Amino acid sequence: MDCVRAEDAYTSRLGYEEHIPGQTRDWNEELQTTRELSRKNLPERLLRERAIFKVHSDFAGAATRGAMAVIDGNVMAINPGEETRMQMFIWNNIFFSLGFDVRDHYRELGGDAAAHAAPTNDLNGVRAYSAVDVEGLYTLGTVVVDYRGYRVTAQSIIPGILEREQEQSVIYGSIDFGKTVVSHPKYLELLEKTSRPLKVQHHAVLNEKDTSVELCSSVECKGIIGNDGRHYILDLLRTFPPDLNYLPVEGEELAPESQKLGFPCQHRHRLACLRQELIEAFVEHRYLLFMKMAALQLMQQKANKDKTAALHDTSTADAESESKPQALEASEKVADGTPTSPTSSESTLTPDDAEATTVSENSAPENQEAPADLKSAVPTANTNGTHEPSAAERQNGGCDSPLEGKEADENIPGLAQAKELAESLAAEDGSGIDPKSREVVLNACKAVGSISNTSFDIRFNPDIFSPGVRFPDDSTEDIQKQKQLLKDAAAFLVSFQAPSFVKDCLDHSSLPMDGATMTEALHQRGINMRYLGTVLEFVDNMPAKAQLEHIYRIGISELITRCAKHIFKTYLQGVELSALSAAVSHFLNCLLSSFPDAVAHLPADELVSRRKSRKRRNRVPGGGDNTAWASLTPSELWKNINSEAQSYYHFNLQCESVDQAVEKYGLQKITLLREISIKTGIQILIKEYNFDSRHKPAFTEEDILNIFPVVKHVNPKASDAFHFFQSGQAKVQQGFLKEGCELINEALNLFNNVYGAMHVEICACLRLLARLNYIMGDHPEALSNQQKAVLMSERVLGIEHPNTVQEYMHLALYCFANGQLSTALKLLYRARYLMLMVCGEDHPEMALLDSNIGLVLHGVMEYDLSLRFLENALANNSKYHGPRSLKVALSHHLVARVYESKAEFRSALQHEKEGYTIYKNQVGEAHEKTKESSEYLKYLTQQAVALQRTMNEIYKNGSNASIMPLKFTAPNMASVLEQLNIINGIIFIPLSQKDLENLKAEVQRRQLMQDSGKIEKQQGGQLELDDKLPVDD
């Protein structure tokens, strides 16, 4: 049987296995009923989350297959008479639409570019509303699929929507971008519940009759009641506020920080939004400012009061100052640096307010990382209680507002008093609070842009600067405030978040290895990828640019591959299905091959015509028998990449060919190939590609095996399991390894319960468990858990994902500890090979890998090879951590040990002296590391002298010399394992009996405190237990 023809007959049917008559799944009903399941206790929540996850996974799978069938031309359109790009499809109860600007819907917002961006914005909105999970408010199942150059949005179908016109269905929101607007009390009530977590402001807009309409979302958000009586919201593309750095508005000036960097920039479309992570970070930052502002004013008042008291009669002064004794006491305690217990007024807060204040309180100081030079700058208050910024603050200020960027010392006097005041104001109607204190909060609220005058509450109006939306006259002042808030948020991104990302990379707390991990790191800080050019310029202008070379290189390769992806998208749209592999190989040749005149191989004509006759219905949207793709040349493609980099990322690339890019930025062609393949879904044959041949192209059409869809969808979370996991991590950091281990085991069970056997979060659980087993001395169990983590990482993330590379390294360590030396070496070599492909030789993580390999080789007495790896690690560490770093000192010590084993004492002495000097300068002579190094130096000197004596004896007496046997120490496995632990961040502190007793007493004391519910966050000053101490039971 001809399998190709059988496959063809199979796919040319309208659908696949789901399309059995009478058995199609009602996706919408399944998605919504799983959300309605009860969630009162843990078993119910587990059942609900498992059902949600299962249905979501099935829906995403079906939507992906459907989207591919649509693009391959195997699904009939529901409007077949219209031109192909305007067609819509229904298959297997899922509605499909293409990412083109149909009927000039997005004309004012940027046409096709806006239509392409809208589905991902909408998906982000769906994700946000799903996460808030308000009972009674429903979103559609949404999947965005990029396949063969087309973007397809797949959505579940609201019951009854197809029978009526859209104008009749929409009872909330607007179908024409704000010209006609309607509202509905039930929707306002439901959306009001989401407004605090999503920071969306309740606001009014004018409709076509100039009457005011209340909304609690953007105007585009539409509310439709389905035939099933459920309240659905859709078109959530403007859930988050606009990004003014990429939205030039006439007559509006951005903050100076943004202007200095050349913003606002013209973007392709007007749908550029700020990310949810940025909104969270901005609100946290403002909360900290609000607290400091209030604290400074309260201290000012106290100072003024003291002055008055000195002039007046002392008895009246006493009466005045007693009005708030507790709060002042607390503020003095904070000034001393002693922790105060949480204020009792927390318990009287209303649920909503409590959530707002306590969540911000807990999260703000932890997540807020201020630049170092700001931490030292303590704000000075002038006479009227306002705040004079110091020079350092002015230069680092986050926003246009007068108080931005004051990340001063945590222990500002009066901070606790300010907290208490803010909470009591939120709790009561404020009647029992003296007017002066109320004025303090009012001033602080005004200064940070809070929408309430009595408590901290920042929300954004998503309709500001939307074309066609008009606001009532009475809200002019509020609109001005909102505009200022948006400008401040945009400035916060470029003047605070972007530099903090660069700073994290500089101190290696963030260590991206490829484009995907860099994207993730930027997104975590709320930085959109359109800022990639700005971030690269930040890196380029840093004084310590050499230590950020790896970040710059990854950023450039990400920028090039993203530009190539944009071009590839339009390139593929004109390609016939039969010519797909020829077209993809031609594009890759133009992008990566040094062959100057890449020529496309057009498929034979008779093949095309035969395919066509067989697939009459195969009308690819926008396609035809178009062969324009074949005329692409390498120089034209690189010219387009340069102009794309300039227009989209505002970055000047200046590369006329791939070889020039490789030379100028130190890139690798194999890395570029990996990045572009992952981004566009190309599957290629595994073989050695000769990119640099100038006589023949690197790729032929046989090398292109397949093209996969790239799918974006909502990932449902296992919330209870995640909380267990976080509690476990917290326990481990406090030093309670056993309890941490139990919690993480429990989390693992719950994750398995919800997700099934394979999931990226299960992988993280197993990795942490393995590390804990290892620290607690159970090496076989550590090996078993880490093996599972490696297998899962390979399956879930891919065999060459940076996380998988790190899993291999952990597995190698545990193998070594279990005596499996050759397996450990194989794993490390494998990890190194993959890392070379992912990010190349020149990366700080490569230093760690090389140190591991060098140590294991030293252990098996392969000294020369070991030296090569360790010296490479030393060079890498010196480059990325600076020549005076403790990591470099450790590298010197490791190299010295190998030289000692080779009996080359002079070289060993030289390296150990370097290490000793670094230790002495960095940690002082009294430190145990310096002492250890000094001892080792003495030992090496003795050995060197003994060797020299022996040599002299030989020279003098020839063969009659009486030679003392020299002691050459072969490395023992315990010392090698100890060094391996140290470089991998696992440090066991040897404890004396007395230390152990003290530690046990400390652990018992903490346990008692915890049982009585009094444990406070004072870990900072106590024993740093981290994940270092194996607790003795």
Side-chain angles (χ1 to χ4, degrees):
M1 184 180 173
D2 183 343
C3 59
V4 177
R5 226 172 277 172
E7 173 73 8
D8 211 55
Y10 181 53
T11 50
S12 64
R13 288 208 304 275
L14 251 173
Y16 307 156
E17 69 280 2
E18 279 100 344
H19 217 81
I20 309 160
Q23 284 191 15
T24 50
R25 289 171 72 169
D26 184 344
W27 292 112
N28 189 68
E29 189 57 31
E30 287 191 40
L31 287 163
Q32 312 311 347
T33 40
T34 51
R35 280 213 168 276
E36 286 167 348
L37 290 171
S38 173
R39 45 180 152 174
K40 292 190 187 71
N41 52 33
L42 182 63
E44 283 183 355
R45 281 198 299 275
L46 280 179
L47 201 67
R48 176 175 183 265
E49 283 171 354
R50 189 192 315 161
I52 289 175
F53 182 74
K54 176 80 177 80
V55 173
H56 258 94
S57 306
D58 290 354
F59 175 70
T64 307
R65 285 194 296 277
M68 290 169 74
V70 163
I71 298 300
D72 289 341
N74 294 329
V75 179
M76 279 291 283
I78 52 175
N79 51 347
E82 303 202 26
E83 70 163 295
T84 42
R85 31 187 291 149
M86 295 175 75
Q87 291 180 350
M88 290 169 276
F89 305 84
I90 289 180
W91 177 85
N92 187 14
N93 273 337
I94 305 173
F95 174 77
F96 296 94
S97 54
L98 298 168
F100 293 112
D101 186 12
V102 182
R103 302 189 184 87
D104 287 344
H105 191 59
Y106 292 104
R107 191 178 59 209
E108 288 179 23
L109 298 167
D112 278 349
H116 191 265
T120 45
N121 278 7
D122 181 36
L123 183 66
N124 288 336
V126 170
R127 192 176 285 133
Y129 278 101
S130 304
V132 175
D133 210 4
V134 167
E135 233 169 296
L137 189 65
Y138 298 90
T139 53
L140 301 183
T142 308
V143 175
V144 179
V145 181
D146 288 307
Y147 179 60
R148 284 180 50 200
Y150 295 96
R151 174 158 282 183
V152 185
T153 310
Q155 290 172 311
S156 59
I157 301 168
I158 298 176
I161 186 87
L162 299 171
E163 288 99 72
R164 41 191 181 174
E165 282 296 312
Q166 199 180 17
E167 287 80 20
Q168 301 162 349
S169 318
V170 174
I171 57 163
Y172 172 89
S174 164
I175 56 166
D176 47 17
F177 289 99
K179 295 182 185 69
T180 53
V181 191
V182 285
S183 190
H184 190 276
K186 180 67 179 167
Y187 271 103
L188 283 176
E189 179 200 324
L190 288 168
L191 287 166
E192 190 68 61
K193 292 176 188 167
T194 66
S195 72
R196 171 159 256 144
L198 295 180
K199 316 280 185 288
V200 176
Q201 190 192 13
H202 192 113
H203 60 280
V205 298
L206 294 175
N207 64 8
E208 75 286 7
K209 300 180 186 125
D210 285 343
T211 48
S212 175
V213 178
E214 292 290 313
L215 292 177
C216 200
S217 66
S218 65
V219 287
E220 289 86 2
C221 169
K222 301 170 187 46
I224 296 178
I225 299 182
N227 285 356
D228 52 4
R230 293 187 180 110
H231 291 77
Y232 293 92
I233 48 169
L234 55 153
D235 286 354
L236 306 172
L237 58 148
R238 276 194 199 270
T239 302
F240 299 111
D243 180 356
L244 293 195
N245 288 333
Y246 283 92
L247 189 70
V249 181
E250 274 182 42
E252 294 289 343
E253 276 217 359
L254 288 184
E257 293 84 11
S258 294
Q259 289 184 1
K260 208 161 47 191
L261 292 162
F263 292 110
C265 293
Q266 195 66 46
H267 200 50
R268 301 222 159 134
H269 54 78
R270 299 178 65 85
L271 291 178
C273 291
L274 297 171
R275 291 184 67 85
Q276 190 173 9
E277 298 92 334
L278 183 90
I279 301 297
E280 301 287 337
F282 177 70
V283 170
E284 264 169 27
H285 177 76
R286 281 290 164 107
Y287 180 73
L288 220 60
L289 294 178
F290 167 78
M291 278 312 189
K292 286 175 182 171
M293 192 84 183
L296 284 164
Q297 288 187 5
L298 285 170
M299 292 316 289
Q300 191 63 41
Q301 277 188 11
K302 185 185 174 222
N304 291 346
K305 232 181 231 182
D306 291 350
K307 276 185 200 164
T308 336
L311 299 172
H312 283 78
D313 186 13
T314 45
S315 62
T316 53
D318 285 352
E320 267 181 29
S321 61
E322 269 174 25
S323 61
K324 212 179 253 41
Q326 284 175 323
L328 289 177
E329 239 171 60
S331 75
E332 277 149 26
K333 273 190 192 168
V334 168
D336 294 341
T338 53
T340 56
S341 63
T343 48
S344 55
S345 62
E346 271 183 30
S347 55
T348 56
L349 294 178
T350 58
D352 277 0
D353 288 330
E355 184 179 290
T357 19
T358 51
V359 166
S360 312
E361 261 177 59
N362 295 343
S363 52
E366 287 172 349
N367 299 345
Q368 201 64 48
E369 181 58 49
D373 54 340
L374 291 186
K375 285 192 173 170
S376 55
V378 179
T380 51
N382 64 15
T383 43
N384 59 5
T386 56
H387 184 85
E388 285 293 312
S390 69
E393 287 167 341
R394 277 200 201 96
Q395 146 203 346
N396 282 293
C399 301
D400 200 22
S401 92
L403 53 123
E404 195 56 78
K406 316 275 183 292
E407 286 307 324
D409 203 322
E410 283 301 311
N411 299 330
I412 292 186
L415 204 55
Q417 185 184 353
K419 273 188 184 177
E420 190 170 301
L421 176 61
E423 283 160 5
S424 48
L425 263 174
E428 307 158 25
D429 55 0
S431 51
I433 290 168
D434 72 288
K436 277 191 176 170
S437 302
R438 195 179 293 125
E439 188 191 343
V440 165
V441 173
L442 177 68
N443 290 345
C445 284
K446 270 190 184 159
V448 296
S450 168
I451 59 169
S452 152
N453 284 336
T454 55
S455 68
F456 176 84
D457 191 359
I458 284 188
R459 302 186 198 187
F460 291 87
N461 178 343
D463 285 330
I464 303 277
F465 299 124
S466 290
V469 176
R470 297 172 305 136
F471 298 101
D473 295 338
D474 57 0
S475 62
T476 317
E477 188 190 337
D478 189 43
I479 297 302
Q480 277 312 112
K481 255 174 133 181
Q482 281 292 333
K483 285 182 177 175
Q484 187 55 47
L485 204 55
L486 281 180
K487 290 174 189 173
D488 290 353
F492 173 73
L493 194 155
V494 290
S495 65
F496 212 90
Q497 293 300 87
S500 94
F501 166 74
V502 177
K503 179 178 163 291
D504 285 350
C505 292
L506 195 56
D507 60 24
H508 300 278
S509 51
S510 174
L511 199 60
M513 279 167 65
D514 68 343
T517 42
M518 186 174 201
T519 305
E520 196 182 324
L522 285 167
H523 283 173
Q524 276 170 359
R525 287 163 184 77
I527 304 168
N528 309 68
M529 284 317 284
R530 59 176 168 270
Y531 285 97
L532 188 55
T534 312
V535 171
L536 286 172
E537 273 165 27
F538 264 120
V539 173
D540 204 18
N541 298 331
M542 287 288 283
K545 189 195 165 187
Q547 292 184 26
L548 287 165
E549 219 171 85
H550 60 297
I551 300 294
Y552 194 68
R553 201 174 43 251
I554 293 167
I556 292 285
S557 82
E558 181 69 358
L559 190 134
I560 290 174
T561 45
R562 277 175 181 264
C563 293
K565 180 185 79 172
H566 296 168
I567 297 159
F568 186 62
K569 186 186 76 192
T570 42
Y571 170 87
L572 267 191
Q573 285 175 8
V575 176
E576 267 281 312
L577 193 58
S578 57
L580 205 54
S581 54
V584 173
S585 63
H586 179 59
F587 184 88
L588 290 178
N589 280 329
C590 293
L591 179 68
L592 298 170
S593 178
S594 302
F595 184 56
D597 32 325
V599 182
H601 296 284
L602 285 170
D605 286 346
E606 64 275 15
L607 177 70
V608 176
S609 55
R610 203 164 72 232
R611 282 276 173 93
K612 268 194 184 162
S613 61
R614 187 161 353 126
K615 282 194 176 181
R616 285 260 158 69
R617 277 184 298 97
N618 184 2
R619 287 173 50 189
V620 177
D625 54 344
N626 198 340
T627 54
W629 57 267
S631 59
L632 184 74
T633 63
S635 58
E636 185 194 340
L637 175 60
W638 277 92
K639 206 161 84 190
N640 291 344
I641 287 175
N642 278 307
S643 61
E644 180 74 11
Q646 188 59 54
S647 66
Y648 195 91
Y649 296 105
H650 306 280
F651 188 80
N652 196 355
L653 203 56
Q654 291 178 320
C655 294
E656 286 168 23
S657 70
V658 66
D659 294 320
Q660 199 179 337
V662 165
E663 199 171 321
K664 185 173 177 183
Y665 297 110
L667 308 177
Q668 291 189 127
K669 290 185 181 180
I670 184 79
T671 307
L672 289 172
L673 175 64
R674 174 181 177 267
E675 294 283 358
I676 190 83
S677 303
I678 290 171
K679 282 182 182 51
T680 52
I682 301 168
Q683 185 187 39
I684 54 172
L685 191 66
I686 293 186
K687 70 173 199 188
E688 282 294 325
Y689 289 99
N690 184 3
F691 297 106
D692 301 324
S693 164
R694 303 193 68 79
H695 307 297
K696 62 176 205 243
F699 300 92
T700 64
E701 58 181 292
E702 283 76 40
D703 296 330
I704 311 300
L705 302 183
N706 203 346
I707 188 156
F708 283 91
V710 176
V711 185
K712 297 182 178 75
H713 60 98
V714 179
N715 286 317
K717 286 266 177 281
S719 51
D720 286 294
F722 192 62
H723 290 147
F724 270 105
F725 184 62
Q726 283 183 315
S727 316
Q729 281 180 312
K731 281 279 186 216
V732 169
Q733 268 158 4
Q734 291 167 16
F736 300 119
L737 299 188
K738 244 201 151 72
E739 290 94 322
C741 211
E742 282 163 14
L743 282 166
I744 286 160
N745 263 316
E746 187 55 42
L748 184 61
N749 290 336
L750 297 181
F751 277 136
N752 273 315
N753 210 323
V754 173
Y755 295 138
M758 288 273 171
H759 196 272
V760 67
E761 283 172 17
I762 298 180
C763 188
C765 241
L766 285 165
R767 181 193 319 133
L768 189 53
L769 263 182
R771 200 170 175 89
L772 284 176
N773 294 140
Y774 183 71
I775 290 166
M776 288 156 73
D778 190 350
H779 295 174
E781 186 62 22
L783 186 60
S784 154
N785 278 327
Q786 187 60 30
Q787 248 171 330
K788 290 180 206 156
V790 167
L791 289 170
M792 206 166 292
S793 189
E794 287 178 341
R795 288 283 297 276
V796 177
L797 297 169
I799 52 171
E800 80 314 346
H801 192 278
N803 287 22
T804 312
V805 174
Q806 288 180 323
E807 301 295 7
Y808 281 137
M809 284 162 69
H810 294 147
L811 185 60
L813 174 65
Y814 307 152
C815 279
F816 189 90
N818 279 294
Q820 302 177 14
L821 273 60
S822 61
T823 315
L825 255 181
K826 278 181 195 162
L827 285 163
L828 288 170
Y829 282 147
R830 165 91 177 138
R832 194 176 202 282
Y833 164 73
L834 290 175
M835 203 187 278
L836 277 174
M837 192 174 73
V838 170
C839 61
E841 186 86 51
D842 195 9
H843 192 277
E845 196 70 5
M846 193 57 103
L848 174 63
L849 192 46
D850 282 349
S851 299
N852 272 301
I853 295 175
L855 269 168
V856 177
L857 286 168
H858 182 205
V860 296
M861 300 200 277
E862 287 280 353
Y863 301 135
D864 291 331
L865 199 50
S866 167
L867 264 181
R868 278 174 58 193
F869 283 107
L870 288 174
E871 282 178 336
N872 196 29
L874 173 61
N876 234 332
N877 273 332
S878 304
K879 176 177 178 180
Y880 286 112
H881 293 276
R884 304 278 68 132
S885 150
L886 294 177
K887 270 194 164 46
V888 177
L890 182 59
S891 270
H892 277 300
H893 175 64
L894 297 178
V895 174
R897 281 170 45 127
V898 183
Y899 273 124
E900 182 216 338
S901 300
K902 286 182 72 180
E904 293 181 22
F905 294 112
R906 185 166 292 168
S907 305
L909 271 166
Q910 197 181 337
H911 279 286
E912 192 55 43
K913 270 182 191 151
E914 289 277 342
Y916 174 72
T917 315
I918 296 172
Y919 281 132
K920 197 169 85 173
N921 293 341
Q922 296 288 358
V923 293
E925 294 208 14
H927 195 275
E928 61 178 300
K929 278 283 178 201
T930 322
K931 286 179 185 164
E932 269 175 35
S933 184
S934 168
E935 288 296 316
Y936 188 54
L937 269 175
K938 281 181 198 156
Y939 167 70
L940 284 177
T941 314
Q942 285 164 5
Q943 290 289 83
V945 170
L947 178 68
Q948 197 57 48
R949 275 202 196 123
T950 311
M951 297 303 286
N952 291 348
E953 184 74 21
I954 292 171
Y955 288 137
K956 202 157 66 185
N957 301 338
S959 54
N960 309 330
S962 57
I963 303 172
M964 286 284 291
L966 274 172
K967 284 187 290 182
F968 287 114
T969 50
N972 70 341
M973 288 306 155
S975 75
V976 172
L977 185 58
E978 187 190 335
Q979 294 298 335
L980 275 172
N981 286 334
I982 291 171
I983 62 171
N984 287 296
I986 300 171
I987 301 167
F988 293 96
I989 304 170
L991 296 175
S992 65
Q993 197 52 42
K994 190 181 170 195
D995 288 335
L996 273 174
E997 279 161 16
N998 291 347
L999 186 64
K1000 274 188 176 170
E1002 174 65 28
V1003 168
Q1004 280 165 355
R1005 190 177 71 79
R1006 283 207 218 170
Q1007 203 62 51
L1008 284 169
M1009 282 171 76
Q1010 208 168 15
D1011 293 345
S1012 58
K1014 287 181 196 162
I1015 191 144
E1016 293 170 21
K1017 289 185 179 173
Q1018 33 178 257
Q1019 257 62 46
Q1022 290 174 353
L1023 268 174
E1024 281 291 336
L1025 289 168
D1026 249 353
D1027 62 347
K1028 299 169 187 170
L1029 295 180
V1031 174
D1032 208 31
D1033 296 316

